[in-house]
Amino acid sequence: MNMKFGTKAIHAGQEPDPTTGAIMTPIYQTSTYWQKSPGDNKGFEYSRGTNPTRQALESCLAALENAKHGLAFSSGMGATDAVLKLLSPGDEVITGDDLYGGSYRIFTKVFANYGIKFHFVDMTQAENVKKHINANTKLIWIETPTNPTMQIVDIQAVADIAKANKVLLAVDNTFASPYLQNPIDLGADIIMHSVTKYLGGHSDVVMGALMVNDDDLYKRLWFIYNACGATPGPMDSFLVLRGLKTLHLRMKAHCENGKQIAEFLKGHPKVDKIYWPGFTDHPNHGVAKKQMRDFGGMISITLKGADLQETYRIASSFKVFSLAESLGGVESLINHPVSMTHGSIPKADREKVGVTDNLLRLSVGVEDIEDLLEDIKQALT
């Protein structure tokens, strides 16, 4: 049966328990499994490698991204780490100049020490990627929309360049979620998610995931996943399965609230710049419209004339929005990237792409829109 998105979110990978008929996937809280004789088992040996609850989640995640294979990790950084372990000293990676701080940190502070070279480029024009490709290029890593200035990268255009040069393309699809965007359908080889965010959706789990189509690539990643062990436990897997069942409903609400808040903020006298791909004057709005089903609930703004102290004051003045790291939960969050999620990026590099001291990032939740708008009004007074 060719299921639609909402049906897949509720049912993919999840059959009634054969022992009891339980509709919900059981939490297989076990580290190891009985074997009839050495090597004769029921498909499970040790829970670092496989666990039935996690396996159900991985099947569901793959289905949502129209992929053949899914792998769940104990964090988004664990998933990112596994992709980079496909590389060898001397290999080169092309990535964006507006990037999640954790990705920048692992690239520059960990893997650069092992002889892997990273090029941070403006990816809003696919031709910029082509300029940096050489015989050592093995991976292109993109975010779209980017964190936090919501740049849009044309996935299909970059995928064409990657394929022409036999380079792997990985897409961090965290900000969009599979409800809004499916990079494998556009030519990506690997999709990465911080499952902590929209997929889990309730700010109670830290998890990551990779989705791929290619069988050989899956086997290589599974070896790293099992050998290095950054795999999540069954309780967290169960919680994400539960969260996924409402992903399509939550994303509709995130998008609806996000649109109204973006439109309100665009004309606000305290707001200098606003970053949201749904505006027709947003750079690459046409690309966003082509590859996304809606424009999401992530918005960034700069405060007009605000220094760091005033930005802190405003960020701390919200009552419904919580000042916190992360995003994508049902509750609305306000984040100050310079001092929080992007603190590991050098100031000059941050400011070059607009991540300034007076920039705030909003993760718009699913509360009543009237309460969110009222909270923004009082915080910006």
Side-chain angles (χ1 to χ4, degrees), residues 186-366:
L186 299 170
D189 300 294
I190 303 170
I191 299 173
M192 195 288 291
H193 277 279
S194 175
V195 176
T196 310
K197 314 309 195 283
Y198 285 111
L199 297 179
H202 294 80
S203 302
D204 53 7
V205 175
V206 173
M207 192 183 291
L210 299 175
M211 295 79 149
V212 301
N213 261 352
D214 183 81
D215 294 341
D216 180 63
L217 181 57
Y218 169 71
K219 288 173 184 174
R220 291 168 65 199
L221 287 166
W222 192 91
F223 177 83
I224 294 165
Y225 155 101
N226 180 54
C228 298
T231 52
M235 184 65 199
D236 283 355
S237 299
F238 173 86
L239 288 172
V240 174
L241 275 170
R242 185 175 66 169
L244 287 175
K245 291 180 186 294
T246 58
L247 177 61
H248 55 303
L249 306 175
R250 290 186 284 108
M251 289 308 300
K252 288 176 185 175
H254 285 298
C255 290
E256 289 168 6
N257 281 354
K259 183 175 188 294
Q260 292 191 58
I261 287 174
E263 288 172 346
F264 172 78
L265 287 169
K266 191 170 189 182
H268 197 284
K270 286 280 185 75
V271 173
D272 184 15
K273 295 177 183 173
I274 181 163
Y275 302 95
W276 183 67
F279 291 128
T280 55
D281 60 355
H282 183 286
N284 279 3
H285 167 75
V287 175
K289 195 171 181 181
K290 177 185 71 172
Q291 69 190 22
M292 299 174 71
R293 299 179 186 94
D294 208 330
F295 302 108
M298 296 302 301
I299 303 163
S300 290
I301 58 172
T302 57
L303 301 171
K304 193 173 291 182
D307 60 10
L308 189 60
Q309 185 177 359
E310 174 65 3
T311 303
Y312 278 5
R313 185 194 69 78
I314 290 174
S316 303
S317 299
F318 288 85
K319 301 183 186 307
V320 179
F321 283 79
S322 295
L323 178 62
E325 297 199 11
S326 200
L327 60 105
V330 291
E331 60 286 305
S332 294
L333 301 178
I334 189 90
N335 171 275
H336 183 243
V338 163
S339 62
M340 297 167 79
T341 52
H342 289 65
S344 60
I345 301 177
K347 182 178 175 70
D349 293 339
R350 290 195 309 256
E351 292 188 342
K352 192 164 57 177
V353 293
V355 185
T356 52
D357 287 350
N358 64 338
L359 183 136
L360 295 174
R361 190 192 73 190
L362 287 71
S363 173
V364 179
V366 302

Side-chain angles (χ1 to χ4, degrees), residues 48-185:
R48 171 171 31 82
T50 49
N51 174 281
T53 315
R54 188 167 78 234
Q55 192 174 76
L57 171 63
E58 290 170 339
S59 296
C60 188
L61 291 171
L64 294 178
E65 282 288 14
N66 301 327
K68 285 178 68 176
H69 306 289
L71 291 169
F73 291 80
S74 52
S75 69
M77 295 316 303
T80 302
D81 177 80
V83 174
L84 293 173
K85 283 174 178 167
L86 295 169
L87 305 177
S88 301
D91 288 348
E92 298 190 12
V93 178
I94 302 170
T95 188
D97 58 4
D98 181 42
L99 196 66
Y100 167 54
S103 301
Y104 180 92
R105 182 175 55 216
I106 200 172
F107 292 171
T108 60
K109 303 296 185 185
V110 178
F111 283 94
N113 294 333
Y114 294 98
I116 295 169
K117 184 175 181 180
F118 295 87
H119 301 274
F120 298 92
V121 306
D122 176 0
M123 290 187 139
T124 58
Q125 301 299 320
E127 289 300 308
N128 292 336
V129 175
K130 194 180 291 186
K131 295 173 189 174
H132 290 83
I133 287 181
N134 60 50
N136 296 322
T137 309
K138 296 297 188 293
L139 175 69
I140 300 170
W141 179 279
I142 66 176
E143 293 176 13
T144 182
T146 65
N147 182 2
T149 64
M150 311 299 159
Q151 293 177 13
I152 298 296
V153 180
D154 189 328
I155 298 171
Q156 192 159 18
V158 177
D160 289 344
I161 294 168
K163 282 183 169 45
N165 292 277
K166 298 181 179 177
V167 173
L168 284 175
L169 172 62
V171 178
D172 180 342
N173 201 30
T174 300
F175 266 33
S177 89
Y179 180 78
L180 298 182
Q181 182 172 272
N182 300 116
I184 275 181
D185 292 348

Side-chain angles (χ1 to χ4, degrees), residues 16-22 26 28:
D17 177 51
T19 305
T20 65
Y28 288 91

